């Protein structure tokens, strides 16, 4: 399973890279807007830090506009994947961009039928949004189950990238289902490490060690 960070924040990306576990980054216009920086400069910096795919989203919603933006985005770095919304012109753009060797991450997927069409168009990644489905009392992870099964049935090469992840159980379920990638906010990545028994256990080990050292010192003195 590949782990991506869903952020455009340089500090968060650098921190995750330092842990040795980061496989890529996904951004979207909302995440980039939060950083209040020049889009291309920010992407350039992210791409120089991350050894893996970095998704950058187009703003256009028409075929020509998306293709134009995609061509510009891939000039930034070899590891750029162009994020394209799951609309009719988006599918057309995905197909066309593939013929130019440009890889697309098809975003805003909320149904298995959308995922089938994205795969048929030649998407490199499909991004189903699990959290936003949960938000409306739907079952985000069951969408992942359906897409993984359908892609398997037909040997579609499109990789399933679980997006809109809100908590560690989304990550666990994605792993059990066999999704290719999970992208998550930094907060969720941090939650993956934590376990109270680890903290308690470590504290106990260190206390026992300290106690034993102190006793040894006393024995030497007496
Ligand atoms: O990047 C797309 C997706 O991960 C957004 O997540 O939390 O805004 O639904 P969220």
């Amino acid at each position: 399973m590949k782990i991506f960070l869903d952020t455009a924040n340089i500090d968060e990306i650098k921190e995750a890279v330092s842990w040795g576990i980061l496989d890529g980054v996904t951004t979207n216009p909302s995440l980039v807007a939060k950083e209040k920086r020049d889009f291309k400069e920010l992407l350039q910096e992210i791409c120089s830090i991350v050894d893996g795919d970095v998704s950058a989203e187009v703003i256009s919603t028409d075929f020509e506009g998306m293709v134009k933006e995609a061509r510009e985005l891939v000039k930034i770095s070899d590891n750029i994947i162009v994020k394209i919304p799951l609309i009719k012109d988006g599918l057309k753009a995905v197909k066309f961009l593939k013929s130019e060797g440009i890889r697309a991450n098809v975003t805003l997927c909320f149904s298995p039928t959308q995922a089938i069409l994205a795969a048929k168009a030649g998407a490199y990644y499909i991004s189903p949004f699990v959290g936003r489905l949960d938000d409306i009392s739907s079952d985000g992870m069951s969408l992942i189950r359906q897409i993984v099964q359908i892609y398997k049935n037909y040997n579609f090469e499109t990789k399933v990238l679980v997006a809109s992840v809100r908590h560690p159980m989304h990550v666990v379920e994605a792993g059990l289902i066999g999704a290719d990638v999970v992208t998550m906010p930094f907060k969720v990545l941090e939650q993956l490490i934590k376990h109270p028994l680890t903290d308690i256990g470590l504290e106990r080990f260190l206390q026992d060690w300290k106690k034993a050292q102190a006793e040894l010192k006393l024995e030497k003195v007496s």
Side-chain angles (χ1 to χ4, degrees):
M1 177 204 274
K2 288 200 171 180
I3 290 184
F4 287 10
L5 258 193
D6 198 25
T7 186
N9 184 279
I10 297 293
D11 291 339
E12 291 178 350
I13 295 168
K14 280 185 176 166
E15 179 65 15
V17 166
S18 77
W19 299 353
I21 48 81
L22 195 68
D23 299 306
V25 164
T26 50
T27 68
N28 64 38
S30 313
L31 293 170
V32 170
K34 275 211 286 194
E35 300 307 311
K36 298 183 175 33
R37 280 186 56 183
D38 176 78
F39 183 41
K40 282 191 182 163
E41 272 177 31
L42 180 60
L43 277 178
Q44 242 155 15
E45 193 173 348
I46 295 173
C47 290
S48 70
I49 301 168
V50 178
D51 183 16
D53 293 342
V54 174
S55 289
E57 192 158 342
V58 296
I59 305 302
S60 303
T61 52
D62 63 296
F63 172 79
E64 285 80 12
M66 285 190 245
V67 168
K68 196 170 164 233
E69 275 188 64
R71 285 173 174 160
E72 286 303 310
L73 286 170
V74 293
K75 281 184 197 159
I76 295 173
S77 175
D78 285 348
N79 50 343
I80 288 277
I81 308 282
V82 181
K83 237 172 157 181
I84 304 271
L86 217 160
I87 53 178
K88 281 182 203 166
D89 275 38
L91 292 178
K92 284 186 216 168
V94 169
K95 180 97 187 166
F96 181 80
L97 291 169
K98 194 179 179 192
S99 73
E100 292 194 344
I102 296 176
R103 297 176 297 164
N105 172 357
V106 177
T107 188
L108 290 166
C109 171
F110 293 95
S111 77
T113 53
Q114 290 179 317
I116 291 169
L117 295 181
K120 299 282 292 180
Y124 188 75
Y125 290 114
I126 183 71
S127 285
F129 279 27
V130 294
R132 291 194 196 181
L133 280 170
D134 292 353
D135 288 345
I136 56 158
S137 306
S138 198
D139 183 0
M141 292 317 296
S142 92
L143 173 61
I144 303 301
R145 241 169 259 120
Q146 290 174 319
I147 297 173
V148 167
Q149 184 63 57
I150 293 167
Y151 281 8
K152 199 174 159 201
N153 291 348
Y154 296 98
N155 294 319
F156 283 130
E157 285 174 4
T158 305
K159 297 176 199 306
V160 180
L161 189 160
V162 181
S164 184
V165 161
R166 301 278 163 77
H167 51 71
M169 281 314 291
H170 278 150
V171 181
V172 174
E173 286 177 60
L176 290 169
I177 294 165
D180 300 286
V181 186
V182 185
T183 189
M184 64 199 80
F186 186 72
K187 184 180 150 250
V188 175
L189 185 65
E190 276 189 312
Q191 287 174 322
L192 299 188
I193 310 171
K194 294 206 186 304
H195 198 290
L197 289 178
T198 304
D199 298 339
I200 293 167
L202 183 60
E203 206 183 315
R204 201 172 292 161
F205 285 155
L206 295 178
Q207 270 172 8
D208 290 346
W209 183 260
K210 234 171 140 180
K211 208 175 136 201
Q213 295 302 309
E215 281 168 6
L216 276 176
K217 252 189 200 166
L218 272 179
E219 274 171 27
K220 273 187 192 162
V221 173
S222 58

